[in-house]
Amino acid sequence: MSTGVFIISAPSGSGKTTLVERLLREVPQLLFSISYTTRPPRKNEQNGRDYFFVSREEFEKMIAEQGLLEWAEVFGNYYGTARRFLEQARQTGQDLLLDIDIQGARQVKEKLPEAVTIFILPPSRQVLEQRLRARSQDTEAAIARRLENARREIHGYVSYDYVLINEDLDQSARCLRSIVLSERARRNGAAAGTAAGEAEKARPIAEACRRERLVRQIQPILESFGG
Ligand code: 5GP
């Protein structure tokens, strides 16, 4: 069985973390790559679970030693994917799941053109703003900053294979699961890993999430962010 690489990107507040956690619970044989970062841990974050939190010196050493599959500077901090996660996935016959930004996705696609990319969009600017307020984790200034970042980041969807418009969490979770199962079946044949019936059911759901199929739904979202 060949190793599949799935890349998920999204502006913050689009529900990415919840969707990734659900995917990992629901689909077997998926290895989540825990990134390295130089940003300080937030409350509730654990070293080695959410990220590996390292100093700038340690990070720069990893770059110099070619230990990273990709890396980028996001909001003034370094973030990167360790090469060893890809090696581990290959050795254990799992697929690899990366939660990384657009710059990282581009680098991985250059090295591994068969990697599957998925972009999560909020249904509109208004919904994103409501969600950011509802989780009451940010100050007004931070909410304004996140909305401004989202406005810039959403245009990145154009280079992704699939787009999830996260209106309904259950539906988005089903689409995400279907993308992984259908891509897996395409790569390995339906018999490997998943029951053939399951892969067959997954295919049309995944196909409906292809970026080029969603142009009309994406347009009003871009407009809600001011084009
Ligand atoms: P946060 O600091 O909110 O956890 O993440 C900020 C951004 O960094 C998110 O868009 C997230 O996807 C991205 N990110 C997290 N890990 C990596 C990584 O290893 N590489 C890259 N390029 N981006 C990452």
Side-chain angles (χ1 to χ4, degrees):
M1 225 166 90
S2 66
T3 294
V5 175
F6 294 92
I7 303 176
I8 301 190
S9 305
S12 77
S14 29
K16 180 180 57 175
T17 309
T18 311
L19 285 168
V20 165
E21 282 169 3
R22 255 177 92 155
L23 181 68
L24 290 168
R25 272 203 309 273
E26 293 173 357
V27 175
Q29 301 288 89
L30 258 185
L31 176 68
F32 181 70
S33 158
I34 303 164
S35 295
Y36 282 75
T37 184
T38 59
R39 87 151 161 71
R42 300 189 183 119
K43 264 188 271 148
N44 306 326
E45 280 185 332
Q46 261 178 39
N47 188 40
R49 186 193 66 186
D50 302 284
Y51 283 102
F52 293 106
F53 297 98
V54 295
S55 66
R56 283 186 87 85
E57 292 69 38
E58 285 170 296
F59 197 98
E60 281 163 4
K61 189 159 173 266
M62 291 185 77
I63 300 174
E65 290 172 353
Q66 319 261 323
L68 298 173
L69 178 64
E70 63 75 34
W71 64 273
E73 199 153 357
V74 187
F75 310 140
N77 289 300
Y78 285 136
Y79 291 82
T81 304
R83 247 178 230 289
R84 68 180 156 80
F85 276 98
L86 181 60
E87 282 152 23
Q88 191 186 331
R90 283 181 173 152
Q91 276 160 15
T92 54
Q94 299 179 87
D95 289 334
L96 185 65
L97 181 63
L98 307 179
D99 166 354
I100 60 178
D101 85 327
I102 301 168
Q103 310 169 70
R106 206 175 292 138
Q107 295 172 47
V108 175
K109 250 324 217 199
E110 268 168 32
K111 290 180 186 154
L112 307 166
E114 68 288 0
V116 175
T117 52
I118 304 156
F119 198 87
I120 303 174
L121 279 174
S124 68
R125 183 189 188 281
Q126 290 71 18
V127 172
L128 179 61
E129 186 170 351
Q130 278 165 17
R131 286 184 189 161
L132 290 173
R133 281 188 203 291
R135 67 181 192 186
S136 57
Q137 149 187 314
D138 298 317
T139 60
E140 277 303 308
I143 289 175
R145 203 167 52 235
R146 284 186 192 278
L147 285 170
E148 174 53 22
N149 289 331
R151 190 185 64 76
R152 274 189 279 120
E153 288 169 6
I154 50 167
H155 296 280
Y157 83 92
V158 287
S159 53
Y160 283 68
D161 302 312
Y162 295 93
V163 172
L164 295 183
I165 300 171
N166 189 16
E167 197 136 28
D168 176 274
L169 201 61
D170 287 331
Q171 201 190 330
S172 299
R174 199 159 71 108
C175 290
L176 191 52
R177 193 170 60 237
S178 300
I179 293 167
V180 173
L181 295 181
S182 119
E183 287 284 346
R184 219 176 234 184
R186 202 167 56 81
R187 223 179 40 248
N188 297 315
T194 329
E198 207 178 345
E200 231 160 79
K201 260 191 266 162
R203 193 172 310 118
I205 302 172
E207 286 306 307
C209 302
R210 283 202 182 271
R211 175 181 36 81
E212 59 271 22
R213 301 272 296 265
L214 292 168
V215 175
R216 270 195 303 132
Q217 287 94 315
I218 293 171
Q219 200 50 40
I221 300 174
L222 300 182
E223 281 163 17
S224 77
F225 278 90

